[in-house]
Amino acid sequence: MRPSKRDELVHKAQEIFDRDGFQATGMDALVAETGISKTTMFKHFRNKDELILATLRLRDETFRNWMHRKLDRFSGVPDQQLLAVFDLLQEWFDQPDFHGCLFIKAASEFSDGEAAIPAQAREHKRLLLNDLIGLAKAAGADLPDQLGRQLMLLIEGAIVAARMGYSQTPARDAYAAATVLIGQAIGKKKKAGMPRPFLDDMRLTDQRFTTIFAPTSTLL
C-alpha cells in the first residue's frame, strides 16, 4: 500500500534532519527536498516542531522494533543479548549514511530541557535503558540498574566517538569494556558463556534492515 502524504513527509524529513540537523533545516529546504508543498505540510503539522516530534517518534519505533527482533536471535541468553547490542552498533556505524544519533542531536539543538523535543529524545533513551536493565535482571546481575546505566554510557560514548571520527573501533572498544562489566556483574553466577568474541562472523545483514532504514539507516 502506498504511504500517505503524511507518512512520506515524515520519512523524508527524518532523512534530511538526520543529515543536516534540525535548526539548519528550514521549511523551504524541506519543500525543496521532499517535493511536498508548504500547504500540504501545514495540513498535517502546525509547525516544524510538530514535524520534528513525528520524525523522532518514527525513529524510536523503528529502531526499538529492529533491535528487539535482532536480539531475539539470542532469546533465552540475556548476557549474550546485552553483548549483541554492541554488534548492532557496529552494523550501524558501518552504514555509509551514518550521521550520528538523531536523539542526541535533538537534545543538543534544543536547549530548553522541558520542551517537547528534548523530552521526546530523553524518552527514547529511557526506553533503551529500561531494555538494558531488563536484560541485566534476566541475566542475574547483582546490581542490574547500575549495569544498565554503565552499558548505556558505553553505547552513548561509542556513538559520539563514531560520529566524531577520532576512533576507528568505537563499537569494538565499547564491547570489550562491556564484557568486563557484565562478567563482573554476573560472572560468579554464570561461568559459561562469558566472555565471547566480537560477532565478526554474524554480520546481521538481512534485507529487512536495509528496507526499513533505506535510504537512511541511522538508528539511534
Side-chain angles (χ1 to χ4, degrees), residues 53 58 71 137 161 213:
L53 285 170
L58 173 65
L71 295 184
K137 288 179 179 177
F213 296 105

Side-chain angles (χ1 to χ4, degrees), residues 16-17 21-32 38 41 48:
I16 297 165
F17 289 142
F22 298 104
Q23 302 285 19
T25 304
M27 296 301 283
D28 288 339
L30 288 170
V31 169
K38 278 188 181 181
M41 286 187 186
K48 192 176 81 170

Side-chain angles (χ1 to χ4, degrees), residues 76-82 130-142 144 147 186 189-190:
V77 194
D79 60 322
Q80 300 299 308
Q81 288 180 307
L82 286 171
N130 284 348
D131 284 338
L132 294 175
I133 291 172
L135 290 174
K137 288 179 179 177
D142 291 325
L147 179 59
I186 69 174
K189 298 180 179 180
K190 181 178 180 180

Side-chain angles (χ1 to χ4, degrees), residues 44-78:
H44 298 291
F45 302 101
R46 290 178 298 178
N47 50 52
K48 192 176 81 170
D49 283 5
E50 286 193 356
L51 177 57
I52 291 171
L53 285 170
T55 64
L56 292 175
R57 293 182 186 116
L58 173 65
R59 179 65 60 84
D60 170 68
E61 179 183 359
T62 53
F63 168 73
R64 289 190 298 108
N65 287 343
W66 172 81
M67 184 184 77
H68 293 157
R69 187 178 70 251
K70 294 295 186 180
L71 295 184
D72 281 346
R73 297 187 181 202
F74 299 96
S75 179
V77 194

